[in-house]
Amino acid sequence: MILNLLFPNRCLRCNRIITSKEIVCELCFDQIHFTHYLFNANNLLKEKCRLLFPVENAYALMQFEEESLSREIVHQLKYGRREKIGKTLAEWVTERVDFGNDPPDFFITVPLHAKKLRKRGYNQLHLFADTLSKHYGIPCDHNLLKRNANRRAQAKKDRVHRAETDSLFTCTHEVTDKHILLVDDVFTTGNTMSSVAWEILKSGNNRISVLVMAEDY
C-alpha cells in the first residue's frame, strides 16, 4: 500500500496515474494499433508465414510500428522488468481470438538462451502463454524447444544478420500428429519463427499455427 502511494502505477504513454492492473490509461488505449485480424481467416501475417513455412492460421494482436505505443508496451515487457504486462496482453488476445473448430493441441513458446534468461530474470512469453493456456484450457509446453546459441535480439540486428538462424533450435523430445501454436512476442522478418516451425515440422506429422503479440510492419 505504501509503495503504491510512493510509486503509483503510471500510463506508459502519458504518465497519468492508473490502477495497478492497467498498463495504459483509457484515453491512451485508443492509440494502440490493434490488427483486428481473425485467427481463422487470411491476413497479412498468415501470408508472410506462408512464404517461409506451412502454416494453418496466424494472428498478431498489435502493429509494431516505430514510435508506437504497442512498441513501447512490448519493450517494457522485455526490457523494463514488467513481466505482468504479458498477462494484460494475453487478456486482450482472449477478448479477440476464437480458435473455432480447430483449436491447437498445445502452445509452445520460443525459448531464451540460458544466459539471457539469467540476465533478464524471466522469459517474457511465459506469463503471456500461461494466461492464454488457462483461459482456453489448452496446455502449454515451455520445454519442447531448446535454443542452441545466444544470438543478439532480432530487433537489434540488421536484416542481413537476422537470417542467421540455422540450427538455432532443437526439439527436446519427439512430437507427432499435433496442431501446435507457436507463441512469440514480435514477428519481424520471420526467420526465428521459421527456424522453430521447421524444427517442429521435421519432428513429425505436425501442423503449425502462429500467435504473436505484435507484427512489425
Side-chain angles (χ1 to χ4, degrees), residues 11-14 16 24-34 62-63 65 67-71 73:
C11 173
L12 292 180
R13 174 63 84 186
C14 69
R16 183 182 283 109
V24 294
C25 68
E26 292 184 3
L27 294 176
C28 292
F29 183 82
D30 291 336
Q31 298 180 34
I32 300 173
H33 294 166
F34 293 103
M62 304 178 293
Q63 299 176 10
E65 302 158 320
E67 306 301 326
S68 66
L69 181 52
S70 58
R71 181 179 288 265
I73 289 170

Side-chain angles (χ1 to χ4, degrees), residues 165-215:
T165 54
D166 291 343
S167 302
L168 188 56
F169 302 97
T170 54
C171 288
T172 59
H173 54 274
E174 184 177 341
V175 176
T176 59
D177 299 313
K178 298 296 183 181
H179 179 191
I180 300 171
L181 183 69
L182 306 184
V183 178
D184 203 0
D185 46 29
V186 181
F187 187 99
T188 51
T189 64
N191 289 310
T192 297
M193 187 67 74
S194 179
S195 180
V196 171
W198 283 112
E199 190 65 30
I200 294 170
L201 288 169
K202 75 181 184 181
S203 174
N205 185 33
N206 298 306
R207 296 184 296 135
I208 299 293
S209 288
V210 168
L211 189 150
V212 295
M213 298 173 183
E215 177 184 1

Side-chain angles (χ1 to χ4, degrees), residues 72-140:
E72 178 62 23
I73 289 170
V74 175
H75 278 203
Q76 284 296 318
L77 169 63
K78 295 178 68 174
Y79 309 116
R81 298 185 180 278
R82 298 188 63 173
E83 185 181 9
K84 290 184 179 180
I85 287 176
K87 185 176 186 296
T88 300
L89 293 179
E91 290 169 350
W92 291 351
V93 169
T94 62
E95 294 169 358
R96 294 165 172 80
V97 171
D98 181 357
F99 293 127
N101 297 323
D102 187 24
D105 293 304
F106 61 91
F107 306 150
I108 67 168
T109 52
V110 177
L112 291 175
H113 189 274
K115 183 178 180 180
K116 185 173 291 184
L117 181 60
R118 286 194 299 270
K119 180 179 180 181
R120 186 173 297 173
Y122 60 93
N123 184 316
Q124 72 276 5
L125 300 174
H126 284 186
L127 182 57
F128 176 72
D130 288 342
T131 304
L132 296 176
S133 175
K134 182 178 180 179
H135 175 84
Y136 291 110
I138 297 173
C140 183

